């Protein structure tokens, strides 16, 4: 008996010693990498207010955001472009993200306008694209102007002039493969800011060089206006920076959760056993993009579904705005439908009660264009769990 107790104690002690010496062996597997970029730094102060500098506000929020993720998301690796007051060129920030093979890039900044007594306030989040308003262009110009203090900026950025409107024409022709996911995260950020009682100035597009060179979903967040005395006080306060960091963190959780769910859902669909083929139902032939609430999705062009069977579709991308049916973002897929969910417009391709037919369509026409696409299902006008829909399809075959 004593020998048995000794063996148990010895085994337990061995485990404790091994874990203390090699904790990384037992750490949660890293499945997601986020790069957090505190804008400006070092001899580049960014915008300057009456009491503070943008570079310090950005760093404070970035570090707090990173700590929240590290403490609560063991499967996530956090990489900073800077953790102290140093200058990092724009191109190097993008390189850090690309080298880390990041899944998400978050660049944190603070806004300003010419008047330091301005009452303009609020948060806004940008994704890469062509500016739609003069105001958006001015924001991009301010953030891109940092390249002017880099010695080789003319060669490094191929003659790009941050102060010339003509230089931004290039962004009109950019095909950002990560735009949909970037907009998805940006929308979540603004929603969380709004929930924290911050003034919501919306999601916008503009030509930011720091986003242009990244190869993953990326956003640039403007936390508020340092030129507004009231907002500057909030930005500089411990409570203010913590509130902003928590808001971005909550948006990160929402985005990451949806992305992981989508990936798991896609894996479940791809690994599902082949089903016995049933009579095909003709595909919808609508030629225009329509947008309806997720709980009121109507079958297109009088598609018949008398038995209340699940209808399968392929979700290809999301956006914060309605896209033209001929948008280049659809990469030639037509017809495309859409539905709204949590304020985000989600676009789908294909529609059929035959799961096998949609699966073949996805593999033959969609996977090569949208690697993150996955199959979803609706029943009686409401979105339902894909696994439940597949089970019903098997029962009805």
């Amino acid at each position: 008996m004593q020998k048995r107790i000794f063996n148990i104690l010895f085994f337990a002690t061995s485990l404790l010693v091994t874990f203390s010496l090699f904790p990384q062996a037992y750490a949660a597997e890293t499945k997601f990498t986020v790069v957090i970029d505190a804008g400006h730094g070092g001899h580049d102060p960014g915008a300057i207010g009456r009491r503070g500098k943008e570079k310090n506000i950005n760093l404070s929020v970035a570090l707090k955001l990173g700590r929240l993720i590290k403490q609560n998301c063991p499967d996530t690796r956090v990489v900073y472009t800077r953790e102290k007051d140093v200058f990092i060129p724009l191109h190097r920030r993008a390189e850090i993200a690309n080298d880390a093979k990041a899944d998400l890039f978050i660049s944190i900044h603070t806004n300003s306008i010419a008047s330091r007594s301005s009452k303009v306030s609020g948060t806004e989040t940008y994704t890469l694209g062509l500016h739609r308003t003069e105001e958006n262009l001015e924001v991009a110009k301010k953030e891109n102007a940092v390249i002017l203090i880099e010695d080789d900026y003319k060669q490094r950025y191929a003659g790009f002039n941050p102060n010339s409107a003509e230089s931004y024409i290039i962004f009109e022709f950019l095909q950002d493969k990560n735009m949909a996911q970037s907009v998805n995260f940006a929308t979540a950020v603004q929603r969380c800011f709004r929930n924290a009682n911050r003034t919501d100035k919306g999601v916008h597009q503009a030509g930011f060089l720091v986003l242009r060179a990244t190869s993953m979903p990326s956003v640039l967040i403007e936390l508020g206006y340092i030129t507004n005395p009231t907002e500057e006080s909030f930005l500089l306060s411990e409570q203010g920076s913590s509130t902003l960091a928590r808001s971005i963190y909550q948006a990160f959780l929402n985005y990451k959760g949806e992305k992981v769910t989508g990936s798991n859902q896609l894996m479940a669909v791809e690994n599902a056993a082949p089903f016995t083929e049933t009579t095909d139902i003709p595909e919808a032939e609508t030629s225009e993009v329509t947008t309806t609430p997720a709980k009121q999705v109507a079958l297109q062009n009088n598609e018949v579904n008398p038995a209340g069977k699940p209808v399968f579709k392929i979700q290809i991308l999301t956006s914060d705005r309605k896209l033209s049916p001929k948008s280049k973002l659809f990469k030639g897929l037509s017809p495309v439908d859409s539905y709204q969910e949590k304020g985000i417009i989600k676009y789908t391709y294909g529609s059929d009660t035959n799961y096998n037919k949609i699966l073949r369509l996805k593999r033959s026409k969609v996977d090569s264009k949208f690697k993150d696409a996955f199959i979803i299902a609706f029943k009686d006008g409401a979105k339902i769990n894909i696994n439940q829909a597949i089970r019903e399809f098997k029962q009805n075959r």
Side-chain angles (χ1 to χ4, degrees):
M1 181 68 178
Q2 289 180 336
K3 183 177 180 181
R4 184 180 180 186
I5 294 174
F6 173 81
N7 288 337
I8 293 174
L9 290 174
F10 179 79
F11 179 72
T13 303
S14 299
L15 283 177
L16 289 172
V17 171
T18 302
F19 181 77
S20 63
L21 291 176
F22 307 102
Q24 65 276 12
Y26 298 88
E29 181 184 355
T30 299
K31 298 179 180 178
F32 196 99
T33 298
V34 57
V35 171
I36 303 175
D37 171 46
H40 306 281
H43 58 276
D44 170 28
I48 299 176
R50 292 181 175 181
R51 298 170 44 214
K53 297 177 181 178
E54 177 186 355
K55 65 175 183 177
N56 299 325
I57 295 172
N58 300 344
L59 183 60
S60 175
V61 173
L63 294 177
K64 287 181 178 179
L65 170 61
R67 282 195 293 270
L68 284 170
I69 296 175
K70 287 182 178 180
Q71 291 168 1
N72 299 291
C73 303
D75 65 339
T76 299
R77 177 169 65 121
V78 175
V79 177
Y80 299 100
T81 56
R82 68 181 181 98
E83 296 181 69
K84 54 186 179 180
D85 186 18
V86 294
F87 176 75
I88 308 292
L90 287 189
H91 71 86
R92 179 58 191 145
R93 295 169 190 262
E95 287 174 356
I96 292 171
N98 293 335
D99 291 345
K101 294 180 171 55
D103 297 285
L104 181 66
F105 178 78
I106 306 173
S107 188
I108 297 175
H109 290 257
T110 304
N111 221 333
S112 67
I113 59 174
S115 173
R116 295 194 181 185
S117 60
S118 170
K119 299 300 181 183
V120 176
S121 64
T123 65
E124 53 192 343
T125 304
Y126 285 85
T127 62
L128 181 67
L130 178 68
H131 61 276
R132 302 295 177 185
T133 68
E134 194 65 28
E135 181 182 2
N136 292 356
L137 174 60
E138 291 306 314
V139 174
K141 282 182 176 180
K142 283 185 295 185
E143 301 300 357
N144 290 335
V146 65
I147 69 171
L148 298 177
I149 61 178
E150 298 179 30
D151 294 334
D152 58 348
Y153 83 90
K154 288 186 178 180
Q155 292 73 33
R156 173 74 65 176
Y157 301 99
F160 181 89
N161 181 355
N163 296 316
S164 169
E166 287 73 21
S167 286
Y168 290 85
I169 294 176
I170 62 170
F171 292 98
E172 184 172 6
F173 305 103
L174 282 177
Q175 291 288 322
D176 183 12
K177 65 179 181 178
N178 298 304
M179 175 187 169
Q181 292 182 18
S182 299
V183 170
N184 195 4
F185 178 63
T187 302
V189 170
Q190 288 303 121
R191 181 168 60 247
C192 290
F193 279 147
R194 190 165 61 248
N195 292 340
N197 296 318
R198 306 312 302 161
T199 301
D200 176 14
K201 296 196 68 180
V203 174
H204 310 283
Q205 289 183 313
F208 293 98
L209 288 176
V210 73
L211 302 184
R212 174 188 171 189
T214 55
S215 59
M216 71 290 303
S218 307
V219 301
L220 186 146
I221 301 171
E222 295 284 1
L223 300 171
Y225 285 79
I226 197 172
T227 44
N228 179 320
T230 301
E231 193 147 81
E232 180 186 20
S233 296
F234 176 79
L235 293 168
L236 291 172
S237 69
E238 183 68 21
Q239 177 186 355
S241 57
S242 295
T243 296
L244 294 166
R246 281 196 302 271
S247 296
I248 303 172
Y249 167 68
Q250 186 59 56
F252 171 77
L253 290 183
N254 296 343
Y255 171 83
K256 179 171 173 285
E258 181 172 305
K259 194 175 193 306
V260 170
T261 298
S263 299
N264 291 341
Q265 191 179 70
L266 177 58
M267 185 178 297
V269 169
E270 293 289 19
N271 293 334
F275 302 131
T276 302
E277 298 293 311
T278 59
T279 303
D280 289 340
I281 296 177
E283 282 189 34
E285 297 191 0
T286 176
S287 59
E288 294 185 2
V289 176
T290 57
T291 304
T292 51
K295 293 185 178 180
Q296 300 175 5
V297 176
L299 300 180
Q300 302 297 323
N301 269 357
N302 300 316
E303 183 179 357
V304 180
N305 189 22
K309 297 179 181 179
V311 176
F312 298 96
K313 302 187 177 188
I314 307 166
Q315 184 166 309
I316 55 176
L317 57 82
T318 62
S319 174
D320 69 331
R321 59 192 174 89
K322 186 173 181 179
L323 301 174
S324 164
K326 297 181 180 179
S327 172
K328 293 181 180 179
L329 293 175
F330 296 140
K331 301 180 181 180
L333 293 181
S334 179
V336 174
D337 295 328
S338 65
Y339 66 99
Q340 284 189 0
E341 190 173 55
K342 297 180 180 179
I344 301 173
I345 302 176
K346 302 185 177 184
Y347 292 88
T348 65
Y349 177 67
S351 176
D352 208 291
T353 56
N354 187 329
Y355 167 78
N356 289 319
K357 187 172 182 180
I358 290 297
L359 182 58
R360 290 196 302 271
L361 180 66
K362 176 180 176 296
R363 289 171 174 170
S364 64
K365 290 189 176 182
V366 178
D367 284 351
S368 61
K369 300 176 184 288
F370 297 94
K371 65 178 181 179
D372 293 323
F374 54 94
I375 297 176
I376 60 175
F378 295 90
K379 182 178 179 180
D380 298 327
K383 189 176 179 183
I384 64 172
N385 179 275
I386 184 64
N387 294 317
Q388 173 191 338
I390 292 174
R391 284 194 296 270
E392 290 191 31
F393 170 75
K394 293 175 69 176
Q395 292 170 359
N396 296 329
R397 62 185 175 180

